[in-house]
Amino acid sequence: MKFLLFSAINGVDEPNRATGETLTQQERFRRIVKEAVLADRLGYDAYGVGERHAAGVINSSPPVLLSHIAALTTRIRLITTVTVLSLLDPVRVAEDYATLDHLAGGRLDLMIGKGGDAEQFPIFGLNVTQARESLAERHDLLHRLWTEDKVTWQGRFRPPLREVTVQPRPYQRRIRVWHAGSNRLSTADTAARYGDALFSTAGGPNRAQYREYFQHYRQRWEFYGRDPRDAATGISGGFLYLADTTDEAIKRFEPHFSNYLNTSVGLKNGPSPYRGLREYVASTPNLIGSPADVVDRILGYHADYGNEAINLLVDTLAESEQGEQLERFATEVAPIVKAAVPNRLWEEQSPSSASTASRQ
C-alpha cells in the first residue's frame, strides 16, 4: 500500500476554532511546504495539492507550489489533487507539468477532474454544464501532446492546432495520469482505455457500488489488452487522527471536524450527510481511531476495492499536532499495512531514453 498526503490548502484568513489560529495566505503556503518536507523525511509515498479557482482558497497554481516543494525534497512523489483540466488549456498544462517533471527528477503524477465548484467556470468562460464534455476533450488532447509529435487537432474548447510539438517533453517515459471521480462507470472506462490510474472518494455506506466501480475499471483495463498488474487505483482516506483508543481519537478530533464543517469551504460543500463524527467514522474509509483500528480499516477497504493507494489529510490540525500525527502514522500504521499489501506502484518509474541520453 502507498500512502499519499494531500492538502486542499484551505482555512486561510478565517479563525480555526479548534486551534485558535488564523493563518495568513503566506503562513498557509509556508505550512504546506513544511508539511511536504516532513512527509518526505518520514517516508510517505506522495504529496498532493489541489487546485481551485474560487473565493476562500488559494490553491490556484499547483505547478508553482509543487516546483518549490520539488526543490526541497528528494524522494517523495508529487501529485495534483486535482488539476481542473476541464478549465485549462491542455497546451499550457502539458508544458507546465512536463517542466515540473524535469525539475522534480521524474517524480510527478497528474490527477485530473472536472472540478466541483461552479464558481470557477465563468472565470474561464465556461458553463458548469459543459464540464464533462470539456474534460473529455482536453484530456484526449493532453494525452496526444505528451505522446505524439506534430499534433494536428480541432475541438470545441480551444483553437485548433496544426503540427504542434510541445516542449519540453516529459522527463518520465510517461507521466501517470489519475482520473478522479466517485463512481461513474464512464470515468473508469476512460481511465482504462487510456492506460491511466483511477482514484475515488469511495465514501458513504454503500461499498458495493465502489466495488463495482473498481471491478469495472480492471475489467475494462484487461479488455483494452493491458497487463492487470499495471492497473492502479486509490481511495480517499480522509482525515487522519490517531490516539490510543478509537473513542479517544473521536473525542480529540471532534473540535477539528466541527471547525472544518463551519469553514467557508466546508459550508460551500453543503451539510454533512452524517449525523456527527462517529457516524462519519463508521461510514467512510477515514483514518480516525487507534493505530490497530486504522490498520484494520485500511486493510478492510483494500479487501473490498483492491486499491494500491490511500490518501490522508491533516489540514485541520495545528502544526505541532500535524507533525505528531504524521510521525505516529509513519511508525505505528504504515509499516504494518505496507508489509501486508505490497504493490508495484511507482516502483518501476524511469526517465525516457531521450532524457537519459541528454544528461550523459
Side-chain angles (χ1 to χ4, degrees):
M1 183 72 67
K2 299 298 189 290
F3 294 107
L4 292 57
L5 180 60
F6 288 178
S7 176
I9 323 183
N10 51 30
V12 175
D13 293 331
E14 54 185 317
N16 184 320
R17 297 171 180 83
T19 66
E21 297 178 316
T22 301
L23 299 180
T24 66
Q25 293 186 351
Q26 186 180 55
E27 287 169 339
R28 192 73 182 93
F29 279 129
R30 289 184 179 278
R31 183 164 296 182
I32 291 298
V33 172
K34 291 177 70 173
E35 183 182 290
V37 171
L38 177 61
D40 184 53
R41 180 175 66 80
L42 292 174
Y44 285 84
D45 298 288
Y47 188 83
V49 297
E51 177 179 349
R52 209 165 184 174
H53 303 271
V57 292
I58 58 173
N59 52 333
S60 58
S61 188
V64 176
L65 181 55
L66 289 175
S67 292
H68 182 62
I69 291 172
L72 299 174
T73 55
T74 60
R75 46 153 301 279
I76 198 167
R77 293 197 67 82
L78 307 174
I79 186 169
T80 61
T81 61
V82 302
T83 293
V84 189
L85 187 57
S86 58
L87 300 175
L88 306 177
D89 181 356
V91 173
R92 184 79 259 185
V93 172
E95 294 171 339
D96 284 348
Y97 284 105
T99 301
L100 170 53
D101 195 39
H102 279 271
L103 296 175
R107 290 187 282 141
L108 174 70
D109 280 35
L110 190 74
M111 188 180 294
I112 62 171
K114 68 177 181 61
D117 197 324
E119 291 180 23
Q120 303 174 100
F121 290 85
I123 299 172
F124 292 86
L126 290 173
N127 188 295
V128 68
T129 61
Q130 300 172 302
R132 293 194 186 280
E133 185 180 355
S134 175
L135 175 62
E137 177 181 293
R138 295 173 197 250
H139 165 250
D140 183 70
L141 177 55
L142 176 63
H143 175 81
R144 291 189 60 191
L145 291 168
W146 270 347
T147 58
E148 300 176 23
D149 295 332
K150 297 183 178 180
V151 173
T152 296
W153 173 93
Q154 186 167 350
R156 284 188 59 197
F157 296 101
R158 63 146 290 132
L161 302 174
R162 182 171 176 80
E163 295 191 347
V164 170
T165 301
V166 296
Q167 297 292 349
R169 310 307 287 165
Y171 179 86
Q172 298 172 79
R173 294 185 187 281
R174 181 176 182 183
I175 294 174
R176 177 180 279 109
V177 174
W178 296 75
H179 293 249
S182 53
N183 61 350
R184 289 177 66 94
L185 297 185
S186 59
T187 301
D189 182 80
T190 298
R193 179 156 41 95
Y194 283 89
D196 294 338
L198 188 66
F199 192 91
S200 175
T201 53
N206 188 0
R207 290 164 72 161
Q209 66 180 341
Y210 295 104
R211 282 197 300 271
E212 180 186 0
Y213 184 57
F214 289 118
Q215 288 169 359
H216 182 73
Y217 166 71
R218 294 187 179 93
Q219 290 167 358
R220 299 305 290 174
W221 184 274
E222 293 191 54
F223 172 82
Y224 291 116
R226 305 187 187 283
D227 186 336
R229 297 176 301 171
D230 295 331
T233 59
I235 65 170
S236 175
F239 299 112
L240 167 67
Y241 204 94
L242 298 172
D244 290 342
T245 68
T246 294
D247 283 345
E248 181 187 358
I250 291 172
K251 180 179 179 180
R252 290 176 60 181
F253 189 70
E254 179 70 54
H256 300 288
F257 187 64
S258 176
N259 177 75
Y260 168 74
L261 294 179
N262 287 284
T263 62
S264 58
V265 173
L267 292 170
K268 186 179 293 185
N269 290 337
S272 171
Y274 306 106
R275 292 172 297 180
L277 177 58
R278 194 170 291 275
E279 183 174 286
Y280 168 77
V281 170
S283 302
T284 61
N286 65 83
L287 304 175
I288 300 170
S290 69
D293 282 352
V294 168
V295 167
D296 288 345
R297 183 174 296 272
I298 294 171
L299 294 178
Y301 275 90
H302 171 74
D304 265 2
Y305 303 147
N307 54 296
E308 285 78 23
I310 187 169
N311 86 281
L312 51 105
L313 299 161
V314 292
D315 272 1
T316 61
L317 308 180
E319 184 176 347
S320 60
E321 206 166 16
Q322 286 179 344
E324 170 198 331
Q325 288 295 321
L326 291 176
E327 291 201 33
R328 188 165 189 181
F329 185 90
T331 56
E332 298 182 43
V333 175
I336 299 172
V337 177
K338 282 181 175 289
V341 188
N343 63 55
R344 305 195 312 166
L345 183 60
W346 294 317
E347 292 177 1
E348 296 183 1
Q349 298 293 105
S350 60
S352 69
S353 57
S355 295
T356 303
S358 70
R359 295 192 307 277
Q360 291 176 346

